[in-house]
Amino acid sequence: MDTVLGFDAIGFWIIATGILVNVSGALLGNYLVLRRMSLLGDAISHAVLPGLAIAFVVAQSRHPIPMLIGAALAGLATVLLTELIRRFARVAEDAAIGVVFTSLFALGVILISRVASQVDLDPGCVLYGILESAALDTISLAGLEIPRMTLTLAIATVIIIAFVGLFWKELKIVSFDPNLATTLGLPTTLIHYLLMAMVAGFTVVAFEAVGSILVVAMLVVPSATAYLLTDRMHWMVLLSVVVGISSAVLGRESALMLDTSVAGMMAVAAGAHFVLAVLFGPHYGVVARTLFQLRVKLRIQREDIMALVYRWQERGSGSAMPRNAIVEAMSGRTGHTLALNMLTWRGLMQRAADGFSLSDEGRKEAGKLIRGHRLWESFLAKHSPLPDDHLHSPADRMEHFINDKLLQDVAQAVDHPDTDPHGQPILSNGKG
Amino acid sequence: MLSPNTDPSSTAAAAPSSERVPPFEIHDMTVAYHNKPVLWDVDLTVPENQLIAILGPNGAGKSTLIKAVLGLIPRASGRVDIFGKPYETNRSLVGYVPQRESVDWDFPISALEVVLMGRYGHLGLFRRPGKHDREISLDALDKVGMADYAERQISQLSGGQQQRVFLARALVQDARLYFMDEPFAGVDAATERAILTLLRELKEQQKTVIVVHHSLQTVREYFDHLILLNMRVVAHGPMAETFNDDNLQKTYGGRLAILDRAAEAVRQAKE
Amino acid sequence: MQRFGLLWLIPVALALEITAVEAFGLEPIQQGIVVLADLFGLHYNSFLIWLGTSLLGLTSGVVGAFAVLKKRSLVGDAVAHAALPGLAIAFMLIGERNFIGMLTGAAISGILGSLAISWLIRHTRIKSDAAIGIVLSVLFGLGIALSRIIQDDPTGQQAGLDAFLLGKTAGMISQDLLTIALVAANVLVMVALLYKEFKLIGFDPDFAAVLGWPVLVLDGLLMALLVFTTVIGLPAVGVVLIAAMLIIPGVSARFWTDKLHVLVPLAGFFGLLTGFVGTYASAQFADLPAGAVIVLSGSAVFMISMLVAPRRGLIARSLLELTTRLRIARQNLLRTLFEAAEENENIDIPITPSVLLKLRSWSPRQLQVLSWWGRLLGEVESHPTGWRLTEAGRRHAAQIVRAHRLWEVYLVEQASIASDHVHRDADEIEHVLTPEILKDLEQKLQAAGRWPATAPSSVHPLTEGEHA
């Protein structure tokens, strides 16, 4: 092997093959994740084993076409058997999947061990894949030496892209609501089995590269990552492909660094993407959700302080409210120092020697809040028979969430009163 | 009828000295499902020895109220007292009938075994239910008219019969305060009558029963006390005073749109 | 809550057991196996393997039964895959093939994997299937990467990680058997002691929570039993096939019984049988991977159960369905002939096929078959223009018509009470009720003075003898 040029070529082909596996897996995986059938993908990838062995025995060669047919048939058999056991023997779906794929896998292991002596189809290759040696087995195509594995995967990827593109709308409806799809006259069953056949076919061409167990990583992880990042179908498909490509590249690079299995590291890289999405996803991420909740809490806190100072001034207790009075009123709530600092920094409040007072803008803001609060109280008083002293706390919380439009309707509903149930004046819109 | 196994604190709470304490109090409880507030600022005290209905439209948070009280879903704020003590302390005084759909009816157990589960609260760790527990459970099955079905596997029972098995399980819990989540939903007339008889019997035994109910037609006839709920307590009190057009209008219609939108505004802000 | 303080005894007991084993060493166990093997006239090694796989089958059957009932069949599969990185890391840390150490590593990463699955389901929008798939494949990938690193290390060859993938039943040594026996004993004792608790959290965890039980702790314990069973099974049958050992016995046992206290031991027995038979079979075909043979014997147990189990089995259920359908068809034929004759006010006039086809939704072919069957039973006789009832047929038909009309009346009268039983329309209801109920019903209606008014006069004299 050419150590200088050859190394580059090997690296290129490994990455290219890895990308093809990840992209085609991600494209199909989206539908498995959305239809909650990820485990069927896992089952199929295990169950193609006996199909391969039988195809070999029948065809007496390792020619890819019979292998592909054998595996696809075994994949479909998994789906069918699971469905039959579930429906007719009334076994829960997960248990049915578990019984079928482990049995078929065991059968496959036995068959392969029987035919293994005649062919180089050793169980190790089936389990781990031989991505690293992809570049060793090449085919000449238009003067180019292309690894056989890469070529097969490229063809598979093209077929899968065509499948997803052609049946885009059908796959979407079938994934979302199969019953609706059926009533619309769509061939739901056909699309279901086509998808399953695609998964089976993908498994066959992919397992040689990454091994039958890691196939499910390529199917599920990029798609699930995308699912955490977006709510739109086309973005999900696109993102899953991006995650797939990125996992392939990062997986290969890290495997090179650690001198270990490329397929394994691709799965780990995909897993890392997933963990990042779980933590930092823009809408569903743990960090985003926590930060958002903190921000809402802080905003409520700021608004409460503004309203507090407003009432203090309204009562004529003094122009500035002492800091310890504010702290006392905010009892048991953390973060008031931050809230006070933010208020002064934004110019809504001024810090004076004897405490805090509202700026003009602050008074306007606070006035709006108080108006919302008092209108809401009036609304609840009119439409709820609770005693008056119970009113305060619900209204206290609602004012932070009422937008202008809703407030107008609330005002209308209570006929624009001048005072709230406690006799406090309700200010007209926006005036402080 | 209290079992000798009940721990001392609950027996003390059950003693006549605490008879004045309301069976059930909620203070300032707010519950949110996935950031969506479903119950706001619930303050509630219910009278003892009454049949109490919780009534409200779909999505009003009726089941949520019960589940939050029982600690099955977290409370965003608030406190729940059972006979004057925190729920966690006085748990053994509470019986629960969940919604029928909440369990897997294909589970391989018989009707009697389900009822026996109600005795588990009186048994220690590692201890099996004994003869005494079986007798109590068979009695309870008899009371709900299911004695002939004791050994039946639960998937072979009709919906109404399953509901009656759940009721029997609550009975053998031997509680003083019962929460029942929609026991009348989707049952046949025979079961409805059996449940009603049972409710009245429980009342005679000085128990308090809180039932999530959905039928405006029957609520007046079946219950003494009414809690009207729609995301908050709209009204509560004795049936005669509370069940009127004004309150129902407030619960079911009219200004609901604004409350709905308010909830939506809170949800959007918090999500 | 205090009552569950006893649960802390579990780790204490485990620590004591391990100390005891360390103190006594393997000698007594090996001695025992030698004695027993001699007793059965077996090789030391094959006896050891036999014992190991049977015990493993028993334990995984019992634990798996609970997993299957909780719809967690595939969590065991995920846990087995997730154990791989733990094995590799334990080997890296210890530096040699220490069984207890690697078991601990595998158990820790298995438990972390199962926790990750629960966390993802509860706190993200990822559904259970994807959560299982992600944890399984990513941790397995990590395991493969780590084990490759170890194998490149000169000492790494002895890690024996390969064996954990497909299993090496034949490589079982007395140390392995000891581990299996220890874990099996603990798991079985735990299930026996906490049977009542596991039953309730399996059926209705909310109710357990209302009783004040530490549902999470109990659930975690059940999960830990699953993890430990999985981990001890790895060396014997491998990653994928241990899932089969967990799932298949429980699913198979479910066909035979509706009672949990029968199901759990039965699942254990099926597991034991699987291990026993599988090991025997693989001994006959020495070149076949033993793990796979064991699993296939499990599949055989499943298939036999699915087919021949009474009541829930496929054969029993299709037979029941067939006989019900035939009975209903036969009764419908008799009733139609009888009612048509009633219309004619003469029971001797034959009924033409066209009349029958108008009254029923049968196809001419179905009618042919039915009437042939009626003749076979001696209830219908052929006539050039059609068919009519024989004496026996008349009696039977009268009975059917009477029951049918009773029901119609009954439904009108008391539908609200009996609506529980009304699964079908009035036409079929007579096939659902037992003769005793019918008799009771008739007496009620007679007492109410409603019987003669609704029952056809032609029916009454014929059946009087039976009810007088």
Side-chain angles (χ1 to χ4, degrees):
Chain A
M1 202 192 308
D2 189 341
T3 41
V4 184
L5 261 174
F7 185 80
D8 274 339
I10 286 173
F12 171 77
W13 286 123
I14 289 178
I15 289 188
T17 316
I19 287 177
L20 287 172
V21 173
N22 272 294
V23 167
S24 45
L27 284 173
L28 292 174
N30 286 314
Y31 300 103
L32 292 182
V33 169
L34 285 176
R35 301 186 64 187
R36 302 179 187 190
M37 291 186 341
S38 314
L39 292 172
L40 213 47
D42 186 31
I44 291 175
S45 66
H46 283 83
V48 297
L49 222 53
L52 290 176
I54 291 170
F56 174 78
V57 171
V58 172
Q60 284 301 322
S61 82
R62 271 189 65 186
H63 195 273
I65 300 296
M67 290 289 208
L68 202 69
I69 294 172
L73 287 180
L76 286 180
T78 316
V79 180
L80 268 176
L81 281 175
T82 307
E83 183 64 21
L84 286 178
I85 290 180
R86 196 177 65 81
R87 192 176 300 167
F88 292 107
R90 305 196 187 162
V91 171
E93 186 174 19
D94 61 331
I97 290 179
V99 170
V100 171
F101 94 83
T102 54
S103 299
L104 287 177
F105 187 78
L107 187 67
V109 169
I110 288 174
L111 287 175
I112 283 193
S113 81
R114 295 300 280 178
V115 299
S117 48
Q118 308 160 42
V119 70
D120 127 62
L121 195 70
D122 71 302
C125 149
V126 172
L127 284 172
Y128 306 117
I130 43 163
L131 190 51
E132 287 86 345
S133 41
L136 298 184
D137 179 9
T138 58
I139 289 177
S140 245
L141 196 78
L144 262 164
E145 287 287 304
I146 298 177
R148 193 185 44 78
M149 193 193 284
T150 317
L151 189 66
T152 337
L153 270 166
I155 296 170
T157 309
V158 170
I159 294 175
I160 288 169
I161 290 175
F163 170 71
V164 171
L166 283 174
F167 291 96
W168 175 263
K169 143 176 125 287
E170 284 80 6
L171 280 168
K172 199 157 132 183
I173 289 191
V174 169
S175 307
F176 174 63
D177 185 351
N179 292 331
L180 173 73
T182 311
T183 55
L184 288 177
L186 290 172
T188 320
T189 320
L190 178 73
I191 290 172
H192 172 69
Y193 280 104
L194 262 180
L195 179 65
M196 290 301 120
M198 286 283 160
V199 172
F202 162 73
T203 305
V204 186
V205 291
F207 95 95
E208 201 181 1
V210 297
S212 64
I213 297 170
L214 288 183
V215 163
V216 71
M218 280 65 204
L219 278 172
V220 177
V221 186
S223 318
T225 309
Y227 183 58
L228 286 177
L229 297 175
T230 176
D231 284 327
R232 304 298 302 270
M233 188 71 210
H234 53 272
W235 278 114
M236 181 172 165
V237 172
L238 204 68
L239 278 170
S240 69
V241 168
V242 171
V243 173
I245 293 173
S246 163
S247 306
V249 176
L250 288 175
R252 148 79 184 169
E253 291 306 314
S254 52
L256 210 57
M257 245 158 29
L258 298 168
D259 187 21
T260 182
S261 153
V262 176
M265 286 315 290
M266 278 184 185
V268 173
H273 283 91
F274 177 75
V275 170
L276 288 179
V278 166
L279 291 179
F280 303 112
H283 200 74
Y284 300 104
V286 173
V287 173
R289 266 194 346 231
T290 317
L291 273 182
F292 195 86
Q293 275 161 10
L294 272 180
R295 247 175 45 209
V296 170
K297 246 186 205 159
L298 205 60
R299 179 169 67 83
I300 292 177
Q301 178 114 209
R302 284 199 313 268
E303 292 179 356
D304 280 349
I305 291 176
M306 279 162 67
L308 194 69
V309 178
Y310 186 93
R311 286 202 190 86
W312 173 277
Q313 293 178 332
E314 196 180 46
R315 276 203 306 273
S317 312
S319 61
M321 189 166 176
R323 189 194 167 90
N324 53 4
I326 294 177
V327 172
E328 197 180 320
M330 297 271 106
S331 67
R333 286 159 74 175
T334 48
H336 35 71
T337 313
L338 184 59
L340 275 173
N341 284 340
M342 282 177 88
L343 284 169
T344 39
W345 181 66
R346 289 189 183 176
L348 293 169
M349 262 176 139
Q350 288 134 5
R351 194 195 300 261
D354 52 345
F356 291 85
S357 62
L358 289 166
S359 69
D360 285 348
E361 205 183 332
R363 279 186 66 77
K364 223 157 109 186
E365 286 279 310
K368 237 165 94 180
L369 281 167
I370 301 260
R371 175 179 137 80
H373 175 74
R374 289 181 180 159
L375 273 174
W376 186 248
E377 274 194 342
S378 310
F379 174 78
L380 288 185
K382 191 166 173 198
H383 299 285
S384 152
L386 284 179
D388 281 358
D389 60 319
H390 267 93
L391 277 181
H392 203 73
S393 70
D396 209 26
R397 219 148 292 167
M398 263 324 288
E399 72 208 29
H400 304 292
F401 303 109
I402 300 181
N403 53 30
D404 290 347
K405 177 80 184 70
L406 184 60
L407 197 62
Q408 258 176 36
D409 293 346
V410 171
Q412 198 129 41
V414 293
D415 304 325
H416 302 279
D418 294 330
T419 57
D420 75 359
H422 308 287
Q424 301 276 12
I426 291 175
L427 314 118
S428 58
N429 201 2
K431 279 179 219 153
Chain B
M1 267 261 292
L2 264 170
S3 154
N5 294 324
T6 339
D7 64 292
S9 63
S10 60
T11 331
S17 62
S18 58
E19 211 62 82
R20 295 271 151 202
V21 180
F24 168 49
E25 270 179 288
I26 306 178
H27 306 284
D28 186 31
M29 184 173 80
T30 297
V31 182
Y33 254 141
H34 307 296
N35 288 335
K36 181 178 176 172
V38 270
L39 282 175
W40 300 336
D41 305 284
V42 175
D43 272 289
L44 205 58
T45 306
V46 300
E48 188 158 20
N49 191 19
Q50 298 265 301
L51 300 180
I52 301 156
I54 301 178
L55 191 69
N58 281 337
K62 293 168 292 185
S63 296
T64 308
L65 179 71
I66 285 191
K67 285 186 182 155
V69 165
L70 295 174
L72 296 175
I73 50 177
R75 304 189 278 262
S77 72
R79 201 178 83 232
V80 174
D81 282 353
I82 305 288
F83 293 103
K85 290 197 175 163
Y87 165 68
E88 285 71 19
T89 320
N90 265 352
R91 228 189 244 289
S92 60
L93 302 180
V94 175
Y96 174 46
V97 179
Q99 275 183 16
R100 195 152 39 85
E101 296 79 36
S102 64
V103 299
D104 170 19
W105 288 98
D106 258 338
F107 205 80
I109 44 177
S110 65
L112 177 63
E113 280 177 275
V114 175
V115 180
L116 272 169
M117 286 173 173
R119 298 295 303 163
Y120 284 9
H122 300 278
L123 299 170
L125 185 69
F126 305 140
R127 266 196 51 197
R128 300 289 164 81
K131 211 174 159 197
H132 173 65
D133 299 305
R134 285 182 77 84
E135 277 162 16
I136 293 178
S137 303
L138 283 169
D139 267 1
L141 274 174
D142 195 36
K143 261 187 199 155
V144 297
M146 293 285 295
D148 294 343
Y149 298 87
E151 291 303 327
R152 227 21 118 73
Q153 205 263 329
I154 50 174
S155 67
Q156 293 167 26
L157 303 174
S158 73
Q161 292 170 330
Q162 290 173 345
Q163 190 67 61
R164 282 188 261 170
V165 170
F166 260 7
L167 278 168
R169 180 175 72 172
L171 277 188
V172 304
Q173 274 188 276
D174 194 18
R176 291 180 61 201
L177 170 65
Y178 285 98
F179 291 94
M180 303 186 177
D181 202 345
E182 298 255 16
F184 292 106
V187 300
D188 54 286
T191 302
E192 183 142 354
R193 232 165 284 178
I195 299 175
L196 193 61
T197 315
L198 197 79
L199 288 181
R200 303 222 159 115
E201 208 169 294
L202 284 172
K203 190 185 170 186
E204 261 163 44
Q205 294 169 13
Q206 312 297 310
K207 318 262 186 190
T208 308
V209 188
I210 298 171
V211 178
V212 171
H213 200 60
H214 61 282
S215 160
L216 283 166
Q217 281 78 41
T218 51
V219 69
R220 257 173 116 149
E221 181 194 338
Y222 291 180
F223 299 96
D224 320 315
H225 196 92
L226 181 65
I227 297 169
L228 283 167
L229 195 78
N230 192 354
M231 294 190 280
R232 65 212 165 87
V233 175
V234 177
H236 82 108
M239 185 62 69
E241 294 166 26
T242 318
F243 193 86
N244 57 47
D245 285 349
D246 190 32
N247 282 339
L248 290 177
Q249 173 73 12
K250 278 171 190 158
T251 313
Y252 282 89
R255 299 298 165 196
L256 183 64
I258 280 183
L259 274 175
D260 250 354
R261 282 166 56 200
E264 177 64 16
V266 177
R267 190 181 67 79
Q268 276 178 358
K270 283 199 171 165
E271 229 174 33
Chain C
M1 217 53 125
Q2 311 151 320
R3 283 183 280 122
F4 286 88
L6 281 173
L7 288 177
W8 287 111
L9 288 177
I10 292 168
V12 176
L14 280 177
L16 282 176
E17 279 169 39
I18 290 171
T19 325
V21 171
E22 297 276 311
F24 291 110
L26 285 172
E27 264 321 284
I29 306 276
Q30 279 164 342
Q31 296 293 319
I33 295 171
V34 169
V35 172
L36 280 174
D38 276 352
L39 206 66
F40 289 103
L42 284 166
H43 264 294
Y44 173 83
N45 266 335
S46 34
F47 184 70
L48 186 139
I49 291 166
W50 221 315
L51 215 57
T53 49
S54 304
L55 265 181
L56 181 65
L58 172 71
T59 319
S60 53
V62 167
V63 175
F66 285 101
V68 168
L69 289 175
K70 291 207 79 175
K71 310 268 184 288
R72 269 194 201 146
S73 303
L74 293 170
V75 175
D77 187 31
V79 164
H81 286 83
L84 193 64
L87 280 175
I89 290 171
F91 180 81
M92 285 170 159
L93 292 178
I94 301 167
E96 55 166 14
R97 187 170 186 266
N98 174 307
F99 201 85
I100 295 283
M102 291 176 74
L103 195 77
T104 314
I108 289 174
S109 69
I111 286 173
L112 287 179
S114 72
L115 286 178
I117 292 172
S118 325
W119 189 87
L120 283 175
I121 296 171
R122 199 166 308 158
H123 295 285
T124 71
R125 62 200 309 229
I126 298 294
K127 312 295 184 296
S128 69
D129 64 316
I132 292 174
I134 289 163
V135 168
L136 178 155
S137 61
V138 171
L139 287 182
F140 187 75
L142 181 66
I144 285 184
L146 288 173
S147 67
R148 192 67 63 85
I149 294 174
I150 294 169
Q151 273 165 353
D152 288 344
D153 194 65
T155 59
Q157 295 303 328
Q158 23 167 331
L161 289 172
D162 265 347
F164 283 95
L165 291 180
L166 284 175
K168 239 187 171 61
T169 319
M172 206 183 275
I173 53 171
S174 49
Q175 165 84 67
D176 298 349
L177 178 67
L178 179 66
T179 317
I180 291 177
L182 208 66
V183 172
N186 279 299
V187 167
L188 294 178
V189 166
M190 215 93 89
V191 169
L193 284 177
L194 291 169
Y195 172 77
K196 167 175 111 268
E197 282 73 19
F198 289 160
K199 175 158 100 176
L200 181 54
I201 63 166
F203 174 63
D204 193 349
D206 275 1
F207 192 78
V210 171
L211 290 180
W213 285 9
V215 176
L216 278 180
V217 173
L218 289 170
D219 208 28
L221 196 62
L222 197 52
M223 207 61 166
L225 298 188
L226 184 78
V227 171
F228 275 103
T229 310
T230 308
V231 170
I232 55 162
L234 285 179
V237 292
V239 164
V240 181
L241 300 179
I242 184 64
M245 302 280 287
L246 289 166
I247 302 169
I248 291 176
V251 182
S252 308
R254 187 67 184 89
F255 285 110
W256 296 90
T257 177
D258 278 337
K259 296 183 164 66
L260 187 67
H261 55 91
V262 178
L263 190 147
V264 173
L266 189 62
F269 170 72
F270 281 162
L272 188 120
L273 193 71
T274 300
F276 189 81
V277 173
T279 312
Y280 177 80
S282 70
Q284 305 304 304
F285 310 95
D287 53 337
L288 293 185
V293 176
I294 293 174
V295 169
L296 276 192
S297 29
S299 314
V301 170
F302 170 78
M303 272 189 278
I304 293 170
S305 305
M306 179 170 75
L307 288 177
V308 307
R311 290 209 319 102
R312 289 178 77 99
L314 281 183
I315 293 176
R317 275 231 315 275
S318 0
L319 271 181
L320 184 73
E321 205 168 292
L322 191 72
T323 50
T324 310
R325 234 189 255 171
L326 283 175
R327 202 179 68 231
I328 289 173
R330 172 184 167 196
Q331 299 192 349
N332 280 344
L333 175 72
L334 292 179
R335 190 160 62 84
T336 316
L337 284 172
F338 189 91
E339 281 176 344
E342 245 182 357
E343 195 87 344
N344 293 343
E345 291 180 2
N346 185 349
I347 202 100
D348 292 325
I349 297 176
I351 313 297
T352 60
S354 59
V355 172
L356 284 175
L357 289 176
K358 215 188 293 169
L359 287 170
R360 289 272 146 196
S361 61
W362 295 316
S363 68
R365 176 108 195 93
Q366 275 173 316
L367 183 60
Q368 284 292 332
V369 174
L370 269 177
S371 64
W372 170 79
W373 192 40
R375 286 203 300 276
L376 201 73
L377 290 166
E379 291 180 333
V380 174
E381 54 189 13
S382 221
H383 206 268
T385 53
W387 298 285
R388 64 182 183 201
L389 294 165
T390 64
E391 191 52 36
R394 270 177 224 179
R395 208 167 307 144
H396 192 189
Q399 228 175 325
I400 295 164
V401 170
R402 178 177 49 84
H404 178 75
R405 295 193 181 161
L406 270 172
W407 255 107
E408 276 182 346
V409 174
Y410 184 63
L411 280 178
V412 172
E413 282 294 295
Q414 315 194 32
S416 59
I417 287 181
S419 61
D420 244 24
H421 300 272
V422 184
H423 303 299
R424 306 151 192 236
D425 57 348
D427 207 34
E428 285 183 327
I429 220 108
E430 67 208 42
H431 313 304
V432 177
L433 282 193
T434 60
E436 294 84 46
I437 296 179
L438 288 176
K439 212 168 222 171
D440 179 54
L441 197 54
E442 185 185 323
Q443 275 162 2
K444 263 186 200 150
L445 289 172
Q446 273 171 332
R450 296 183 48 88
W451 173 239
T454 46
S457 54
S458 63
V459 176
H460 207 50
L462 277 170
T463 54
E464 214 165 32
E466 293 168 32
H467 300 282

